[in-house]
Amino acid sequence: RKIEKCIRDNNIDVLAIGSDQVWRKEYVSDYPDYYFPSEKFCKTIISIAASTGKEIDINDSFYKKHLPKLENLDLITCREDLFSELITKSFNLKSFHICDPTLLLDVQHYEKLSKASSIHDYLSQKKYILLYGLDLNIDSETKNKLSIISDLEIIEVNHYEDNIETFLAKFRFAS
């Protein structure tokens, strides 16, 4: 109940939940009350581009328990249109599909950020296939075959080591 106390003690009017995979069971199961408020403890509670990151089973005990709490939100926006539809159909709540907020900058801003990457110049001279996905699990044999068939190097996004500049540079120059 620390979050409710913090909100009340500091007279916070709006709580924004998100963005990203704030409703993915594997990531939030230890802190469900932060992401699925069980009561209306502030004037306005909204989700901003919230996500589960993958298809979910609403009959799973975690989601059965926590998704109905979304009725405590004043505005629900989701990254995935299918999840937004599921909320609307299953819980009779208004939900809107919106763009991932990381994609809202103009191309000039992305280019400027990617130029700051330590591997910008290296990548700008290469032809490669970029592999990207949070739960991407492709074995080395498949990557090797893809590289041979395409005659391109395989480069991956490393979610734990790539900074934002490198992340953007990898996308910018991918073949």
Side-chain angles (χ1 to χ4, degrees), residues 8-148:
R8 288 186 179 114
D9 290 352
N10 292 289
N11 296 316
I12 295 171
D13 291 332
V14 178
L15 171 66
I17 299 168
S19 118
D20 213 349
Q21 298 187 49
V22 294
W23 293 334
R24 185 169 182 169
K25 175 177 75 170
E26 296 83 356
Y27 297 165
V28 302
S29 59
D30 292 339
Y31 309 99
D33 291 337
Y34 290 119
Y35 305 104
F36 301 98
S38 54
E39 62 180 86
K40 183 87 174 190
F41 49 78
C42 139
K43 286 182 187 174
T44 306
I45 303 175
I46 63 173
S47 74
I48 300 174
S51 171
T52 58
K54 62 180 185 175
E55 250 184 77
I56 64 164
D57 174 8
I58 63 168
N59 293 313
D60 174 283
S61 61
F62 177 84
Y63 289 112
K64 259 187 165 171
K65 179 179 179 182
H66 296 295
L67 284 180
K69 296 176 189 175
L70 296 181
E71 70 182 11
N72 292 315
L73 276 66
D74 298 287
L75 175 67
I76 300 172
T77 65
C78 303
R79 286 188 185 194
E80 297 95 2
D81 56 347
L82 290 175
F83 187 57
S84 184
E85 289 172 19
L86 179 123
I87 289 171
T88 301
K89 288 178 185 170
S90 301
F91 302 100
N92 200 27
L93 300 170
K94 263 192 184 168
S95 175
F96 302 92
H97 173 228
I98 66 169
C99 180
D100 178 334
T102 63
L103 304 174
L104 297 176
L105 291 176
D106 291 333
V107 70
Q108 294 84 1
H109 288 96
Y110 289 117
E111 289 172 351
K112 182 179 176 184
L113 285 167
S114 75
K115 284 181 183 172
S117 170
S118 60
I119 61 171
H120 175 274
D121 294 339
Y122 169 78
L123 291 175
S124 69
Q125 304 301 313
K126 296 194 76 56
K127 295 237 181 255
Y128 58 92
I129 293 174
L130 179 65
L131 297 180
Y132 171 73
L134 190 59
D135 297 318
L136 198 59
N137 189 11
I138 300 174
D139 61 79
S140 350
E141 185 181 337
T142 303
K143 290 178 200 172
N144 236 2
K145 285 180 184 176
L146 180 58
S147 179
I148 292 166

